[in-house]
């Protein structure tokens, strides 16, 4: 997807510092979790930015795409250097990425849990992708937000009740396809209406989903034991999606909001969303036919 705002009479492109300042007004780094690593990873704040690529993961194929399209800035959801490092020598995969980014003049910026908790943020885009409507509210509200809009996850409703089977099919159709697809725990014929979603790994929010009284909790990376124990209660169904797929819908929203935030300075900036599937799982084997009765 491309959001191209260029015109022959446009002013000079904004600097990296101006782009990141606009972006941080939307996704304040102060909203990030204390353990997180967000912000500018590499890049000269004074360099001009004419092309931006949004992606979920800062991996080699995304950097290849950025270099190929001559992007000046890559904005990813996941951090490249989440834990402290003592070297970025090109003897490791991450070190090689840092060297390639710097060598090509491509900046890297990360918005992780600050984009998760923002309103709208990652889970708002996920909620829209799987068909939730009406006013959304946080599943795990941010106590630092007096308006009660920010927080991790969202709770919303479907326009009409549907079976769990139909909702899972709708969610799968609304999200980008991955090898692992969508997994479901619960009676497929039970009616559902109220849904909680959380982009990325969400099993720490199982208790919050039950306390909220939702019919379904859709998230990613659910581990066997927590999911099994949760399912024993039988009151809330689970839908488990690929981690990458649950966060990809935010990219278009983040790209559009950044273009708007740049205002007149955006007229010489081409903002794109990577369509590369960077989910860790590339193939599945031995799964039964999900369409069988």
């Amino acid at each position: 997807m491309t959001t191209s705002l260029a015109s022959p009479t446009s002013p000079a492109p904004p600097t990296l510092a101006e782009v990141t300042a606009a972006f941080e007004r939307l996704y304040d780094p102060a909203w990030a979790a204390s353990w997180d690593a967000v912000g500018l990873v590499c890049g000269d704040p004074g360099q001009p930015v004419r092309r931006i690529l949004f992606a979920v993961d800062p991996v080699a194929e995304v950097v290849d795409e950025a270099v190929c399209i001559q992007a000046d800035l890559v904005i990813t959801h996941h951090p490249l250097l989440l834990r402290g490092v003592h070297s970025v020598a090109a003897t490791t995969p991450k070190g090689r990425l840092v060297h390639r980014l710097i060598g090509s003049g491509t900046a890297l910026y990360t918005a992780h849990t600050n984009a998760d908790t923002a309103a709208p943020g990652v889970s708002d885009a996920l909620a829209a992708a799987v068909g939730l409507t009406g006013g959304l509210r946080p599943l795990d509200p941010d106590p630092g937000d007096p308006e009660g809009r920010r927080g991790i996850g969202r709770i919303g409703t479907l326009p009409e009740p549907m079976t769990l089977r139909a909702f899972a099919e709708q969610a799968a159709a609304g999200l980008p396809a991955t090898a692992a697809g969508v997994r479901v725990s619960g009676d497929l014929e039970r009616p559902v209406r109220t849904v909680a979603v959380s982009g990325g790994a969400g099993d720490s929010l199982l208790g919050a989903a039950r306390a909220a009284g939702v019919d379904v909790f859709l998230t990613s990376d659910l581990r066997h034991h927590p999911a099994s124990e949760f399912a024993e209660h039988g009151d809330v169904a689970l839908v488990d999606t690929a981690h990458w797929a649950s966060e990809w819908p935010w990219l278009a929203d983040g790209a559009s909001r950044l273009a708007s935030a740049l205002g007149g300075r955006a007229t010489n900036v081409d903002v794109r969303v990577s369509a590369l599937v960077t989910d860790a799982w590339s193939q599945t084997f031995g799964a039964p036919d999900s369409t069988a009765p």
Side-chain angles (χ1 to χ4, degrees):
M1 190 197 90
T2 301
T3 304
S4 181
L5 300 169
S7 72
T9 58
S10 297
T15 64
L16 177 59
E18 290 171 327
V19 172
T20 56
F23 192 69
E24 288 177 355
R25 289 193 292 271
L26 302 170
Y27 307 104
D28 191 336
W31 299 340
S34 59
W35 50 263
D36 206 359
V38 302
L40 189 63
V41 179
C42 64
D44 179 351
Q47 72 185 66
V49 175
R50 297 179 176 85
R51 181 164 292 151
I52 302 169
L53 179 67
F54 274 74
V56 174
D57 298 299
V59 293
E61 56 188 320
V62 168
V63 175
D64 288 344
E65 180 182 14
V67 173
C68 179
I69 67 171
Q70 298 181 315
D72 303 295
L73 170 63
V74 179
I75 296 177
T76 64
H77 182 50
H78 291 146
L80 175 65
L81 304 171
L82 182 57
R83 295 174 177 82
V85 298
H86 300 288
S87 169
V88 289
T91 53
T92 66
K94 290 188 176 184
R96 285 191 289 274
L97 285 186
V98 172
H99 279 255
R100 183 136 197 247
L101 287 163
I102 294 173
S104 63
T106 308
L108 174 63
Y109 187 98
T110 294
H112 193 208
T113 51
N114 51 324
D116 286 328
T117 196
V122 171
S123 289
D124 296 272
L126 173 59
V130 301
L132 301 189
T133 59
L136 300 174
R137 65 185 192 275
L139 175 59
D140 182 21
D142 180 350
D145 177 18
E147 297 181 1
R149 297 177 62 242
R150 293 199 313 270
I152 303 299
R154 294 292 184 268
I155 299 172
T157 57
L158 297 165
E160 299 291 339
M162 62 177 63
T163 64
L164 176 60
R165 180 192 300 275
F167 173 67
E169 291 172 343
Q170 176 173 290
L175 295 174
T178 60
V182 170
R183 303 185 299 178
V184 181
S185 172
D187 178 358
L188 291 175
E189 304 311 316
R190 65 181 292 183
V192 298
R193 181 78 186 271
T194 306
V195 181
V197 302
S198 184
D203 60 13
S204 65
L205 296 170
L206 287 169
R210 170 164 288 122
V214 300
D215 300 314
V216 188
F217 179 34
L218 180 149
T219 189
S220 306
D221 294 349
L222 289 173
R223 294 172 296 157
H224 172 77
H225 291 298
S228 178
E229 292 168 6
F230 186 88
E232 283 293 298
H233 292 269
D235 52 346
V236 182
L238 295 174
V239 176
D240 184 83
T241 73
H243 190 126
W244 170 85
S246 72
E247 294 174 330
W248 187 85
W250 169 75
L251 301 181
D253 186 58
S256 176
R257 296 189 74 212
L258 174 58
S260 296
L262 287 170
R265 301 306 306 275
T267 54
N268 251 359
V269 181
D270 177 17
V271 186
R272 304 188 180 194
V273 170
S274 175
L276 291 174
V277 178
T278 55
D279 188 60
W281 308 106
S282 60
Q283 197 63 254
T284 57
F285 294 88
D289 183 356
S290 62
T291 63

